Amino acid sequence: LAKTTQPISMDSYEGQEVNITCSHNNIATNDYITWYQQFPSQGPRFIIQGYKTKVTNEVASLFIPADRKSSTLSLPRVSLSDTAVYYCLVGDGAAGNKLTFGGGTRVLVKP
Amino acid sequence: EAGVAQSPRYKIIEKRQSVAFWCNPISGHATLYWYQQILGQGPKLLIQFQNNGVVDDSQLPKDRFSAERLKGVDSTLKIQPAKLEDSAVYLCASSLDTGFKGYTFGSGTRLTVV
């Protein structure tokens, strides 16, 4: 599985946009980029997945450049409840591959 | 759809005691995972089951940890004897098929070993 690098922590304020960039220089052709979110005292939950260009859902947007060596998770107009740890994962999810978490990015949203 | 159920929610034991955690996955999910999450770190996979068979237990400390998934549904994870460094949150997850977007995690059991 491709190794990922993301910032350890980020602070933001309510109403701002938060962008978390993840580096994955060794991403393979079949790999997808997946982001999970973990609130305090809860297990991680899936928020978004993409392969290339841009993906948007009701929670976030995911921007992936053409070379796919990095990706940016964008959280629009964050609120206090978006305070969480965000994990970037890269892999093809094929049988035998498991979710392997790094340290994640701790996002703290301040009032 | 009901989520992944785990119990107990919290457990405090003394070192060298034994402890067991229980997980009930989402109905129909063939694959079940146990993760260990130490404070400040990402979850680390301990064991993966496909139905009632073990697919991967390479990171399970087998001298003290054991897990089973009888009848391919519920699962239990046991630690005997516990060490101080086993203090962590133990997360159970299940998935219907392959693909990284389909994992559903429980809220975990927070174990404190004193």
Side-chain angles (χ1 to χ4, degrees):
Chain A
L1 297 176
K3 178 178 171 58
T4 61
T5 303
Q6 54 184 121
I8 293 174
S9 64
M10 299 179 70
D11 287 358
S12 184
Y13 291 92
E14 283 189 295
Q16 289 189 334
E17 179 180 79
V18 172
N19 295 306
I20 308 171
T21 297
C22 178
S23 298
H24 27 80
N25 292 319
N26 297 322
I27 189 168
T29 302
N30 294 332
D31 286 347
Y32 282 77
I33 300 152
T34 309
W35 286 80
Y36 272 72
Q37 174 191 54
Q38 185 175 25
F39 296 118
S41 301
Q42 294 186 25
R45 69 165 190 163
F46 168 83
I47 50 173
I48 199 166
Q49 183 184 71
Y51 184 81
K52 62 180 179 180
T53 63
K54 177 184 174 182
V55 178
T56 297
N57 61 23
E58 65 279 4
V59 176
S61 294
L62 179 60
F63 299 91
I64 306 168
D67 66 6
R68 304 200 327 122
K69 292 185 181 300
S70 68
S71 58
T72 299
L73 176 73
S74 180
L75 306 172
R77 298 179 298 281
V78 294
S79 63
L80 297 177
S81 62
D82 291 315
T83 292
V85 179
Y86 294 82
Y87 297 96
C88 169
L89 304 109
V90 172
D92 63 8
N97 287 338
K98 280 78 67 174
L99 273 183
T100 302
F101 292 87
T105 298
R106 299 180 179 280
V107 173
L108 174 63
V109 180
K110 302 176 182 178
Chain B
E1 176 182 72
V4 174
Q6 290 190 246
S7 67
R9 192 77 174 88
Y10 304 94
K11 191 73 176 179
I12 301 175
I13 62 172
E14 295 182 350
K15 59 183 179 183
R16 291 187 290 274
Q17 285 188 324
S18 62
V19 63
F21 313 125
W22 173 82
C23 172
N24 179 237
I26 291 177
S27 177
H29 280 196
T31 310
L32 184 147
Y33 314 81
W34 283 101
Y35 284 81
Q36 178 194 58
Q37 186 170 25
I38 293 172
L39 186 65
Q41 299 180 19
K44 169 189 161 186
L45 180 69
L46 293 176
I47 189 167
Q48 175 189 0
F49 291 93
Q50 182 75 20
N51 295 310
N52 61 347
V54 175
V55 174
D56 182 359
D57 62 357
S58 58
Q59 298 197 84
L60 187 73
K62 300 180 186 62
D63 58 334
R64 298 184 300 106
F65 286 64
S66 64
E68 61 181 8
R69 190 182 184 196
L70 298 176
K71 299 180 181 179
V73 182
D74 293 5
S75 177
T76 56
L77 177 69
K78 298 179 181 178
I79 307 175
Q80 182 179 9
K83 293 185 176 181
L84 296 177
E85 59 261 35
D86 298 331
S87 293
V89 175
Y90 291 85
L91 294 161
C92 178
S94 68
S95 65
L96 181 60
D97 52 21
T98 57
F100 286 168
K101 61 192 292 186
Y103 285 57
T104 302
F105 285 80
S107 296
T109 296
R110 181 176 298 277
L111 173 68
T112 302
V113 182
V114 298

